[in-house]
Amino acid sequence: MPIFSSHPSGRITIVFFFMLGAALLMQTACNEPTLIGDDLVDEDRLNISFTDTLSLEATTMKIDRIVGFDTIASTINGAVFQYAVGRLEDPIFGKTTAELSFQVRLNEAFLRPTEFDSAKVDSVVLGLRYEGGSSNDLIAFYGDTLASQQLDVHLLSEPLNQRQNYLTDQLLNYDPVPVGSKGPFVARRTDSISFVDLDTIERSYPAQLRIPLDNELVGQRILDLLTDSANLITSNFLEEFPGFHLRSSADNNSVLGFTMPSAFSELSLYY
C-alpha cells in the first residue's frame, strides 16, 4: 500500500516541472524586441544608421574594339601568336564569332624558277599548327573541344598591310566561294605526325590541321605568278596573291586555336 500511494505524487511532480518550464519559455518568447544598447544612457548609445535603397547608373557600348594584330608586336624576334577560329554562344555574353585572315610568305630556299614553266600541279595543302595547350599559351580551345568541326578556306580579295594595326571587328573582303574545306572532323591537338622525308631523314610534326586546296584556283595560280621573276620577291608576290581567310561553317559552340607564325603553319605546293 505505501508504495502504491507514492506514484501519484511522483507524477504530479513531473507534470509540475514540465508546465513550469513551458511557462518560462512562453514568457521569454513574448518579450518585446529592443535595440542593442537601448538600456544605455543617450551619450553611450551606438550611432547606427542604415539604408535599403540604392541607385545604379549604367550605359551600353555598341562594340568593344581591341587590337587583333599589332605591327610592333609582330616585329619582335621570335614572337608567336595564337589565333582563334570558331563560334561560341554563351548564355551571359551572347554570340562570339572568330575568323582569321592571313598571308603566306615565300620560302626562297625552295624556289626553282626554271622549273615553273613546265610544272604541273600535283596538290596543294594548307597546314595550320594547333595551339600547343601549355600553360604559357594565350589561347586554348574553348567550348566543346570534342565537337565536330567544319572549316572553310577563302581567298582574300585585298592584301594585308603589315604596317597597319587591325582591330578585332575588322573583316577583310574575301571571295565567298571557298577554295578548300575540311570536315566534319574532331580536332586532335595532342596528336603528332612522324614521316620520312625525301632525304630519308625521319621528321616529326606537332599536331596540325591539314586542308587540301583547289589545284587550279590556288596551286596553278601560284605557279603562274612565280614564272614572273618580279613575283619572286615576297612583297610583290603578296600584292598578287593577298592570302587566305579561314572561317567555321559549323554551329557547334566551339573555338579552335592555331599558332601563327610557325614553321609548322605552312602552304605546301607539290608539283
Side-chain angles (χ1 to χ4, degrees), residues 195-203:
F195 63 96
V196 177
D197 208 343
L198 296 177
D199 54 9
T200 68
I201 298 177
E202 184 175 352
R203 304 181 187 277

